[in-house]
Amino acid sequence: AGIVRRLLTDDGANPNEKDKDGQSALFRAALIGKRDVMELLLQNGANVDEQDAWGWTPLMAAAEKNREDCLRTLLAKGANPQARCAKGNTALKISAYFGNLEALLILIDSGSQVDDADEEGCTPLMNAAQENHVDCLRALLAKGANLHARCN
């Protein structure tokens, strides 16, 4: 975090600058689990819901990698758990697809809708079932997911 602090404070680096894939430093920090760097970036004006070239947010990156501390930090700083990527997926659908139970529970507890469907009508429950993530299936059902929902 020291070098990031120096770049932001001494060199005036833009915390929202993006790489060739449209990913900001906050996105990359969430992806690799650098909560201290995330907090520093957020304190210096990083956009908590900045999307990359595919519409993914830092919250989605943290959900994909099951970065619990990063998820909590982003949500505490106002990240939108209902934000959608270009394919219509939310962080909850991403956590269900990858079988990341801890991320899934954090997102549900933060207000993510268990039956929120993507552009094809697929729900987090369907993603968990497709990938055989039984623990996520059980958690979603316990939280009220619709077992009878159908894709378009």
Side-chain angles (χ1 to χ4, degrees):
I3 193 164
V4 174
R5 179 178 280 105
R6 185 179 55 79
L7 289 169
L8 291 168
T9 57
D10 296 347
D11 298 345
N14 177 359
N16 293 306
E17 190 169 333
K18 296 182 176 188
D19 66 13
K20 64 180 176 50
D21 294 320
Q23 295 176 347
S24 66
L26 181 63
F27 185 101
R28 302 295 296 170
L31 191 66
I32 62 174
K34 296 291 186 179
R35 188 177 61 100
D36 57 337
V37 172
M38 287 176 38
E39 288 177 348
L40 185 59
L41 290 163
L42 289 163
Q43 290 168 4
N44 283 276
N47 180 347
V48 72
D49 285 323
E50 188 72 35
Q51 293 181 302
D52 72 2
W54 298 273
W56 277 50
T57 65
L59 191 68
M60 293 172 188
E64 176 193 10
K65 299 297 184 184
N66 208 29
R67 308 285 188 206
E68 298 170 50
D69 288 346
C70 295
L71 284 164
R72 287 188 181 98
T73 297
L74 291 164
L75 290 164
K77 296 294 185 177
N80 178 5
Q82 296 303 118
R84 295 181 181 281
C85 72
K87 292 185 177 183
N89 293 319
T90 62
L92 182 64
K93 282 194 83 243
I94 291 165
S95 65
Y97 179 83
F98 286 100
N100 295 331
L101 179 62
E102 294 82 10
L104 183 130
L105 293 172
I106 290 167
L107 290 162
I108 291 171
D109 289 344
S110 75
S112 290
Q113 302 299 309
V114 295
D115 286 327
D116 198 17
D118 64 16
E119 61 192 22
E120 296 174 356
C122 296
T123 65
L125 186 69
M126 293 172 191
N127 286 116
Q130 171 188 343
E131 298 301 316
N132 199 32
H133 297 304
V134 177
D135 53 348
C136 290
L137 284 167
R138 287 186 180 126
L140 287 162
L141 289 169
K143 296 290 186 175
N146 180 0
L147 184 59
H148 304 289
R150 296 178 184 261
C151 288
N152 298 339

